[in-house]
């Protein structure tokens, strides 16, 4: 869909991608059959029609595709989760991504009492460390708290701490932020968990300003101590907050195609908020979010940003460097990544024809 003549940018960094939004379409039906799960579709083509979006809808219908066709297939099965993690690593490496932070909520993959969230995180960490030895990629994990499940947030901090030496580097808050303005303010248990995460030096990112307002972004920064903002487009109408976050060099994890399909941003890519971010020198990165639903690779997102949004290639390369600067890595790992990228981009070896 986004094929173009534009050469692909190599050596990319991806900070915002949901592991459970990234399975291979070709793996879903065989796994469902093996596990005796009926998805009410019988061919990969039918599955593609049901899962991959082709036009703007809403965040709810976007997420429904994952809860209907993806989560049931992986939930409660360590082998399936292992396959998901292994294929994710291969697919990221194949797209010339040299560093990525995948995120997911382990509690959503437990499926019954037999498995624990610890079991799920453990297999993903195992697969990621195996993949790092075989592929040209570094992989880290972010664990997601869910806005509608405040009871698990404190446990997420425990898991982040338990697995910090195995590749878990951060905590996220995902789910419907729109509810915040419709009588469901952020539960105090999330604030407590994120404060604790800060005290324990666990990096924080928060989905905010995607379909919620600038106030949700402000809350993420001031009350959840976010190091980065997931999406953040809706900060723009609040000039004071926007200027403040620009001055503070807040990093925004932007997902162009996802934001249009969820209706977070309008359908006209040439007016996408990342154009303003790019013009204003804001620190932001490009990401796929849930590639099984968007039907995009990270390379596709760069093509969209260049050809449809109209951001110059040099500015797009800066987004990769800004992504690396805001990676949730240890200082020496981060400077290694930054040195590697600078070497590539300073010598102009970054384009495949
Ligand atoms: Zn997301």
């Amino acid at each position: 869909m986004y094929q173009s003549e534009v050469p692909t940018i190599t050596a990319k960094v991806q900070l915002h991608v949901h592991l459970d939004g990234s399975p291979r379409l070709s793996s879903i039906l065989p796994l469902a059959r093996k596990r005796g799960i009926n998805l009410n579709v019988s061919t990969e083509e039918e599955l593609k029609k049901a899962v991959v979006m082709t036009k703007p809808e809403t965040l709810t219908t976007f997420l429904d595709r994952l809860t209907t066709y993806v989560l049931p297939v992986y939930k409660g099965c360590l082998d399936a989760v292992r396959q998901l993690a292994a294929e994710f690593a291969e697919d990221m490496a194949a797209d010339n991504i040299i560093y990525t932070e995948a995120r997911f909520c382990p509690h959503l993959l437990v499926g019954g009492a037999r498995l624990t969230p610890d079991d799920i995180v453990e297999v993903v960490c195992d697969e990621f460390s195996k993949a790092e030895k075989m592929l040209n990629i570094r992989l880290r994990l972010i664990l997601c708290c869910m806005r509608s499940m405040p009871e698990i947030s404190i446990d997420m901090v425990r898991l982040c701490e338990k697995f910090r030496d195995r590749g878990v580097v951060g905590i996220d808050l995902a789910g419907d932020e729109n509810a915040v303005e419709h009588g469901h303010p952020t539960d105090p248990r999330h604030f407590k968990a994120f404060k604790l995460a800060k005290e324990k030096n666990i990096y924080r990112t928060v989905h905010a300003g995607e379909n919620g307002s600038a106030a949700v972004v402000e809350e993420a920064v001031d009350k959840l101590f976010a190091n980065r903002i997931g999406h953040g487009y809706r900060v723009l109408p609040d000039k004071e907050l926007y200027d403040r976050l620009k001055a503070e060099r807040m990093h925004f994890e932007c997902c162009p195609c996802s934001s249009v399909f969820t209706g977070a941003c309008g359908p006209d890519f040439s007016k996408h908020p990342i154009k303003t971010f790019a013009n204003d020198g804001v620190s932001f990165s490009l990401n796929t979010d849930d590639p099984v639903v968007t039907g995009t690779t990270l390379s596709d997102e760069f093509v969209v940003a260049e050809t449809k949004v109209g951001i110059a290639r040099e500015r797009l390369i800066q987004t990769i460097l800004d992504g690396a600067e805001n990676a949730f890595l240890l200082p020496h790992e981060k400077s290694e990544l930054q040195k590697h990228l600078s070497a590539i981009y300073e010598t102009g070896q970054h384009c495949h024809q």
Side-chain angles (χ1 to χ4, degrees), residues 104-162:
F104 73 107
C105 172
H107 299 67
L108 294 181
L109 288 170
V110 166
R114 208 171 55 82
L115 296 176
T116 63
D118 302 53
D119 298 331
I120 307 281
V121 177
E122 184 147 24
V123 293
V124 177
C125 289
D126 280 352
E127 282 312 310
F128 276 12
S129 79
K130 266 192 242 167
E132 281 194 340
K133 292 185 185 90
M134 296 188 302
L135 305 164
N136 179 30
I137 191 166
R138 220 170 242 271
L139 299 143
R140 293 292 183 268
L141 268 177
I142 294 170
L143 302 182
C144 302
C145 302
M146 304 302 295
R147 286 192 185 266
S148 59
M149 298 164 72
E151 68 282 4
I152 62 170
S153 283
I154 210 79
D155 195 42
M156 218 59 76
V157 181
R158 176 189 68 81
L159 285 164
C160 288
E161 213 180 8
K162 178 174 173 183

Side-chain angles (χ1 to χ4, degrees), residues 218 221-222 239-248:
E218 189 165 29
V221 177
D222 292 335
K239 197 180 171 315
E240 199 180 316
L241 180 64
Y242 181 51
D243 287 345
R244 175 191 150 196
L245 297 183
K246 250 193 308 187
E248 291 174 3

Side-chain angles (χ1 to χ4, degrees), residues 7 42 149 208 225 251 269-270 303 316 322:
S42 47
M149 298 164 72
F225 315 104
H251 183 81
F269 274 111
S270 69
V303 171
L316 289 177
D322 287 343

Side-chain angles (χ1 to χ4, degrees), residues 16 18 103 207 210 231 255 289-290:
H16 190 128
H18 296 259
R103 61 183 73 191
H207 280 75
E210 179 186 15
H231 302 279
C255 311
D289 206 7
D290 294 289

Side-chain angles (χ1 to χ4, degrees), residues 204-220:
R204 287 91 46 207
T205 179
V206 175
H207 280 75
E210 179 186 15
N211 67 338
S213 73
V216 186
V217 179
E218 189 165 29
E219 180 185 90

Side-chain angles (χ1 to χ4, degrees), residues 16-33:
H16 190 128
V17 57
H18 296 259
L19 181 65
D20 43 1
S22 310
R24 286 181 190 162
L25 264 186
S26 59
S27 297
I28 294 175
L29 266 180
L31 261 174
R33 287 194 186 113

Side-chain angles (χ1 to χ4, degrees), residues 248-267:
E248 291 174 3
R249 293 293 291 159
M250 175 55 74
H251 183 81
F252 296 88
E253 308 155 357
C254 298
C255 311
C257 294
S258 154
S259 68
V260 167
F261 288 141
T262 59
C265 301

